[in-house]
């Protein structure tokens, strides 16, 4: 008996179908970073040969109709043409590709880049032996006649002509790595020569079969199951088009590892440019923390057998509540080495940089978060935390909220630990962003001084000591404390800490205070001195000492780190001088790249 489906079930199925369709369209939109094809060519005594290409060149069933359909250089590109021309190198025959991609020996060891119409070929031609070594007399009966006849080879990736320069550079890097591994195996056991002979033999066999029965066939389809090198190239192409992580074992001996950052680092459907990623990694500071994007067990299982023991030790010690300086001490590693390992894990998409979790951290829902009811993330969250739903949990972060406000103080410690795990889970999926507190000096103008504001003033950093905190000049730091109230010391700010001695109203302190105030404009100086808290010498000294931070570029936690101060001290100071300070809350530019795509 037929039983109609319930409306709720239909709604759920339709919602999931719509989500999958949107997800697939997002994948298609990211194909600009994917290669069109991978090609292996060689040059030797038998001429230039195209050994393998993937994807296979499409063999049309109606060759006459396909030959009749010629593309006019003056024709407009329609949507159908763009779809047919997605594999832009398919119009080039094997003979043409072998001729244009097999370079001369003088170009070996260098980057090869060739643009033809809407296709750009990128490779790294590699020399196996000098050309004169195979020029042997035909009547020479010596064993030199058995030497391999391949002079050079090249693994070439076909890209779209308008591909980003960073993608082109990454593809050349992968081509060079594969070439170095193949060159090593060729010199060790003539691996490439054996694979090339097998590929050419299969091509001759398929050509003979085609001439016999008249049915066109692709020789590369027959090569795949019998040739290990062809399967490696196919695996590299498939990985570049999907995950962006390539792991090959050439000849089951040499490992070639590579990652395409454009595929790995994606937030909100947009990829993070490698230049922005590199600049963000250079700005990592000891007060930051490393958040692993996978479990410790899963991450250790992905590591190669000969990986660095320091990497294993850091992964086992890593925690979202530890800053990098604490992590270096717990793992018994140098801080600089921890920075390098952290940057390595971030580049490979295994971790992100965050601020250590503490009860004062303020989080809110990311504008790029996936908040669909039937998304895979909602299902994963329900499986990971039974009894809790992701949409209801994300609703609590619709407005900025601190972790102390997020948790219930009456809950059991076990439930509190589970809430922290939920926050970590949402941070790993980029569902939340953290907000930091910034202060900026802004003295209200008086009517008499409005005309003076028209004159351009030098920046506050140039008028107050000329110090810039964008890049510390050393990596030796003091002892860590808890992540809640970090009071670390930094040698980059030891001058400012020694200029004003706290607790004493000495003549030196008075002179330094007057000097720093004299570097301000008359309006700023009078505005600060008119604040009631400025009547306290201690409060005034502390405020003047921190003037160079009040440019809106340094958040509260950074000031705590550089000046060895507690959060309560800074918040009290902000409140006392609130009439001349503008306090804002927004993301940290250093780590916001891992939470939201750049503009």
């Amino acid at each position: 008996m037929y039983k109609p489906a319930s409306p709720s079930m239909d709604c759920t199925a339709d919602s999931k179908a719509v989500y999958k369709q949107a997800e697939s369209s997002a994948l298609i939109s990211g194909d600009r970073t994917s290669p069109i094809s991978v090609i292996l060519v060689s040059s030797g005594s038998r001429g230039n040969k195209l050994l393998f290409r993937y994807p296979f060149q499409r063999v049309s069933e109606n060759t006459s109709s396909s030959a009749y359909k010629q593309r006019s250089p003056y024709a407009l590109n329609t949507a159908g043409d763009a779809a047919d021309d997605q594999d832009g190198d398919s119009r080039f025959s094997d003979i043409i590709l072998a001729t244009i991609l097999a370079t001369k020996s003088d170009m070996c060891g260098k980057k090869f880049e060739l643009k033809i119409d809407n296709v750009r070929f990128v490779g790294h031609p590699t020399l196996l032996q000098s050309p004169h070594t195979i020029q042997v007399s035909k009547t020479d009966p010596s064993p030199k006649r058995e030497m391999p006849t391949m002079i050079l080879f090249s693994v070439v990736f076909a890209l779209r002509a308008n591909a980003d320069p960073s993608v082109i550079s990454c593809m050349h890097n992968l081509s060079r790595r594969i070439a170095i591994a193949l060159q090593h195996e060729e010199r060790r056991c003539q691996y490439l020569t054996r694979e090339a002979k097998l590929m050419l033999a299969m091509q001759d066999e398929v050509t003979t079969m085609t001439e016999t029965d008249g049915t066109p066939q692709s020789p590369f389809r027959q090569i795949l199951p019998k040739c290990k090198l062809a399967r490696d190239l196919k695996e590299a192409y498939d990985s570049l088009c999907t995950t962006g992580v390539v792991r090959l074992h050439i000849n089951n001996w040499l490992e070639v590892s590579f990652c395409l950052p454009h595929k790995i680092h994606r937030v909100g459907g947009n990829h993070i440019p490698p230049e922005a990623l590199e600049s963000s990694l250079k700005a990592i500071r000891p007060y930051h923390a490393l958040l692993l994007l996978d479990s410790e067990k899963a991450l250790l299982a992905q590591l190669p057998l000969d990986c660095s023991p320091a990497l294993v030790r850091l992964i086992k010690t890593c925690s979202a509540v530890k800053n990098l300086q604490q992590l270096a001490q717990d793992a018994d590693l140098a801080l600089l080495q921890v920075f390098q390992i952290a940057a390595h894990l971030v580049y490979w998409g295994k971790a992100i940089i965050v601020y250590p979790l503490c009860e004062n951290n303020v989080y809110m829902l990311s504008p790029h978060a996936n908040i669909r009811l039937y998304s895979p993330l909602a299902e994963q969250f329900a499986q990971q935390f039974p009894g809790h739903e992701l949409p209801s949990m994300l609703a609590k972060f619709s407005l900025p909220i601190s972790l102390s406000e997020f948790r219930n103080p009456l809950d059991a410690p076990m439930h509190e630990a589970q809430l922290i795990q939920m926050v970590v889970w949402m941070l790993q999926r980029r569902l939340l962003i953290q907000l930091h507190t910034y202060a900026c000096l802004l003295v209200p103008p008086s009517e008499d001084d409005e005309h003076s504001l028209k004159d351009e003033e030098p920046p506050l950093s140039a008028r107050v000591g000329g110090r810039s905190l964008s890049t510390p000049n050393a990596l030796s730091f003091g002892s860590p404390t808890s992540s809640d109230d970090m009071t670390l010391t930094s040698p980059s700010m030891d001058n400012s800490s020694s200029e004003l001695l706290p607790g004493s109203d000495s003549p030196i302190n008075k002179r330094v205070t007057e000097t720093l105030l004299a570097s301000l404009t008359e309006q700023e100086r009078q505005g600060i001195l008119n604040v009631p808290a400025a009547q306290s010498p201690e409060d005034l000294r502390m405020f003047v000492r921190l003037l160079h931070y009040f440019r809106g570029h340094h958040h509260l936690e950074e000031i705590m780190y550089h000046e060895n101060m507690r959060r309560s001290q800074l918040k009290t100071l902000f409140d006392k001088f609130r009439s001349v300070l503008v306090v804002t809350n927004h993301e940290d530019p250093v780590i916001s790249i891992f939470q939201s795509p750049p503009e």
Side-chain angles (χ1 to χ4, degrees), residues 299-321:
L299 196 56
L300 292 175
Q302 299 175 15
L303 297 178
L305 297 178
D306 59 344
C307 67
S308 171
L311 177 59
V312 178
R313 193 157 67 247
L314 184 139
I315 292 176
K316 292 182 177 180
T317 315
C318 186
S319 172
V321 299

Side-chain angles (χ1 to χ4, degrees), residues 203-238:
Q203 291 182 21
D204 295 340
E205 181 180 347
V206 172
T207 301
T208 304
M209 294 175 55
T210 302
E211 293 177 352
T212 303
D213 54 17
T215 304
Q217 297 181 12
S218 173
F220 307 118
R221 189 182 302 275
Q222 308 298 328
I223 290 176
L224 263 183
K226 298 182 179 180
C227 184
K228 172 67 167 56
L229 179 56
R231 293 194 297 272
D232 287 340
L233 295 178
K234 176 184 180 298
E235 181 182 351
Y237 173 83
D238 292 337

Side-chain angles (χ1 to χ4, degrees), residues 323-389:
N323 59 59
L324 294 181
Q325 185 170 349
Q326 291 174 299
L327 184 60
Q329 294 186 352
D330 294 345
D332 194 19
L333 298 172
L335 184 58
L336 182 59
Q337 188 177 11
V338 171
F339 278 9
Q340 294 171 345
I341 297 177
H344 177 76
L345 291 174
V346 171
Y347 183 83
W348 278 80
K350 305 301 179 183
I352 58 175
I353 300 299
V354 296
Y355 186 79
L357 265 71
C358 63
E359 62 179 9
N360 294 296
N361 287 7
V362 177
Y363 298 99
M364 71 172 295
L365 183 64
S366 171
H368 309 280
N370 182 4
I371 56 176
R372 296 183 178 91
L373 294 177
Y374 304 103
S375 67
L377 286 178
E379 298 177 359
Q380 296 174 13
F381 187 85
Q383 295 176 359
Q384 184 78 15
F385 307 101
H388 298 274
E389 295 181 355

